[in-house]
Amino acid sequence: MPLLELTQTPEWAGYPKYSAVIGVPVHNEEHYIARSLRLLDHQIDPMDDFAIVLLLNNCTDSTLTVVRSLAQDLKHDVYVCDIPLPKNLAHAGMARKLAMDAAARLTEPHGIVLTTDADAVVADDWLAMTRKHVANGAEGVSGFVQHNPAEKNEWPQELKERTDLECTYENLLAELYSLLDPRPHNPWPNHMITLGASLAATREAYQKCGGVPPIPCGEDRAFIAALERIDARVQFPRDVVAYTSSRLAGRADGGMAATLKARANDPSLPCDPLLEPVALACKRAEWRRTLRDIWPAALPAAWAQTLKIAPARLRAAWAAPSFGQAWQCIEAASPELARQCLTMDTLREELQKLEALVARLRLQQIAQQNEVRPVANGQRVSPGYMDRAASVAAKAVAATAIAKPLAEPPAATAAGTTS
């Protein structure tokens, strides 16, 4: 199938519409783009009605040559927009925004807009599982993104151990939030980390929230925050699987590679701010649940003292048109909810508290539901996500793609090299 090359100002009315469109920002990915594009093109999709948009920004290598060389082997429509961005806009946030905005233009009114990274590996049912969750009521989907195991294997041992420990803490923290502040649209087992390698939203929700914020980095979390600000039903499922590049030398300033490299060079760096102390996590979850149950009724005056927010400022926050917006304003204003970064030493201490608390809350939940789940030989009750290993292993296409060495890109030509 020939590529459909978009100009910088395309006439959108002349293009077909699809039930799902995947927008991918691309910058100098000649080594990875062929693998990623083939995996996207061969997605298991019961509707078989999707397209791909590649937003090539400021590429100076053979990325476009590689993409064009694949054209005759692709089954689905692939739109390519090769544009130069000015220096002040040449960053990950703007590139993803342009990619997803273009994808939204090609999506049917009730369709789905998705994004991943040009160097990511998505499971063969990535699109199908996203469709399933949207069909069940989700308006936004933040997939379960894991490190590419082949690239992770090249890390320093200390970085591997640190990352595994942080993942253990994140898993338990996500379960704690689900136990203390359960939300029907985001059932357990879920997760709590958002990465650009796997994001999706209905076209309506995408447009209503304003799309991807064009910020230099962190646009993925900012996008999910924008969806939550309008009370969109955002789900964080573990069965929408992608593997992010785990290189220590990446393309984006402030991105995953930069974070990994910094932690490899300085193990004393603090953890992600989302990995907070247990007491603060409990307070955040319990207050969020209580306030959600109250909104939009009048907020009792005593909350100003509890949150340590001036009454006038709290009233202004509470008058927001959605609970999501009210909560985000309250989180930003309350010193009681300020994020506290853990060091690796404090994370280990907090992990013991977190394990004990989650285990106790699980048992309380089981008792409340009158469910009996016998545990043999003192084995801890499984929270569910640990049993996904066999399911993920069954995603043969992604696993094979990760293990297979990357082919060398074709030599750049004057016609195929962009500047």
Side-chain angles (χ1 to χ4, degrees):
M1 176 173 293
L3 299 179
L4 302 166
E5 300 202 22
L6 299 173
T7 63
Q8 293 185 43
T9 56
E11 295 294 333
W12 295 106
Y15 292 108
K17 295 294 188 289
Y18 307 84
S19 65
V21 184
I22 306 161
V24 185
V26 185
H27 175 66
N28 286 351
E29 292 292 358
E30 61 183 8
H31 290 283
Y32 290 82
I33 190 62
R35 179 186 68 182
S36 297
L37 186 53
R38 288 192 183 102
L39 289 172
L40 292 174
D41 186 53
H42 287 82
Q43 282 292 293
I44 298 171
D45 181 23
M47 297 183 68
D48 199 29
D49 175 29
F50 69 93
I52 302 162
V53 173
L54 301 181
L55 195 289
L56 277 61
N57 69 99
N58 300 61
C59 290
T60 57
D61 65 354
S62 301
T63 298
L64 185 56
T65 301
V66 174
V67 171
R68 285 172 172 164
S69 72
L70 297 174
Q72 299 305 317
D73 298 327
L74 301 175
K75 299 186 299 180
H76 297 91
D77 290 343
V78 177
Y79 295 81
V80 178
C81 188
D82 182 22
I83 63 172
L85 292 176
K87 186 175 181 180
N88 64 320
L89 298 178
H91 51 65
M94 178 55 75
R96 195 177 304 279
K97 175 178 177 57
L98 292 174
M100 291 193 76
D101 283 357
R105 295 264 195 167
L106 294 167
T107 304
E108 294 174 351
H110 301 292
I112 308 170
V113 184
L114 305 95
T115 188
T116 186
D117 294 332
D119 56 359
V121 171
V122 296
D124 55 341
D125 62 354
W126 176 73
L127 175 56
M129 297 306 290
T130 300
R131 284 193 188 275
K132 181 193 78 169
H133 292 295
V134 171
N136 289 336
E139 296 171 289
V141 179
S142 181
F144 185 42
V145 180
Q146 304 171 74
H147 287 291
N148 184 315
E151 293 174 342
K152 183 180 177 182
N153 192 49
E154 302 299 320
W155 292 359
Q157 185 60 31
E158 191 171 17
L159 180 60
K160 293 180 193 176
E161 294 173 356
R162 171 184 176 140
T163 302
D164 290 343
L165 194 62
E166 288 178 320
C167 287
T168 298
Y169 196 91
E170 182 268 318
N171 290 338
L172 287 166
L173 198 58
E175 187 176 4
L176 177 68
Y177 287 144
S178 292
L179 289 163
L180 295 178
D181 181 23
R183 288 176 284 178
H185 68 266
N186 186 34
W188 181 257
N190 55 41
H191 65 95
M192 54 181 279
I193 300 298
T194 293
L195 289 170
S198 181
L199 295 174
T202 63
R203 198 187 83 162
E204 296 97 320
Y206 184 84
Q207 294 177 331
K208 184 178 179 180
C209 79
V212 176
I215 56 179
C217 62
E219 81 287 348
D220 39 17
R221 290 187 180 182
F223 174 54
I224 292 300
L227 287 169
E228 292 179 331
R229 195 155 48 245
I230 63 169
D231 283 346
R233 295 183 296 274
V234 181
Q235 190 169 357
F236 295 75
R238 288 180 171 265
D239 56 6
V240 179
V241 177
Y243 297 88
T244 186
S245 172
S246 301
R247 297 173 287 177
L248 299 186
R251 302 285 186 267
D253 293 336
M256 173 70 74
T259 300
L260 292 172
K261 185 176 181 180
R263 290 180 176 179
N265 293 336
D266 185 1
S268 68
L269 288 177
C271 303
D272 189 300
L274 290 180
L275 305 184
E276 58 187 353
V278 176
L280 181 54
C282 290
K283 181 189 296 185
R284 190 180 308 279
E286 290 169 347
W287 286 4
R288 183 174 57 207
R289 180 178 184 176
T290 301
L291 292 174
R292 186 187 294 109
D293 289 344
I294 296 173
W295 193 89
L299 186 65
W303 274 100
Q305 182 177 359
T306 300
L307 293 163
K308 292 185 172 53
I309 301 177
R313 187 174 183 182
L314 181 56
R315 285 195 298 271
W318 197 247
S322 64
F323 173 75
Q325 183 175 336
W327 173 250
Q328 288 182 16
C329 291
I330 288 170
E331 273 194 306
S334 174
E336 293 292 305
L337 294 171
R339 294 285 176 179
Q340 299 176 17
C341 294
L342 297 172
T343 64
M344 289 308 297
D345 288 339
T346 54
L347 184 138
R348 291 184 180 92
E349 296 172 2
E350 292 292 318
L351 180 58
Q352 296 180 7
K353 302 176 189 177
L354 185 56
E355 287 177 329
L357 176 59
V358 169
R360 185 167 69 251
L361 291 173
R362 285 179 194 149
L363 293 176
Q364 290 177 4
Q365 184 183 67
I366 291 172
Q368 291 169 357
Q369 296 173 345
N370 294 320
E371 294 179 0
V372 179
R373 298 178 182 176
V375 181
N377 301 323
Q379 181 182 358
R380 193 172 70 178
V381 176
S382 170
Y385 57 78
M386 296 179 183
D387 298 328
R388 276 199 46 77
S391 176
V392 173
K395 299 179 184 299
V397 175
T400 301
I402 289 172
K404 185 177 180 180
L406 293 170
E408 288 295 322
T413 65
T417 303
T418 60
S419 58

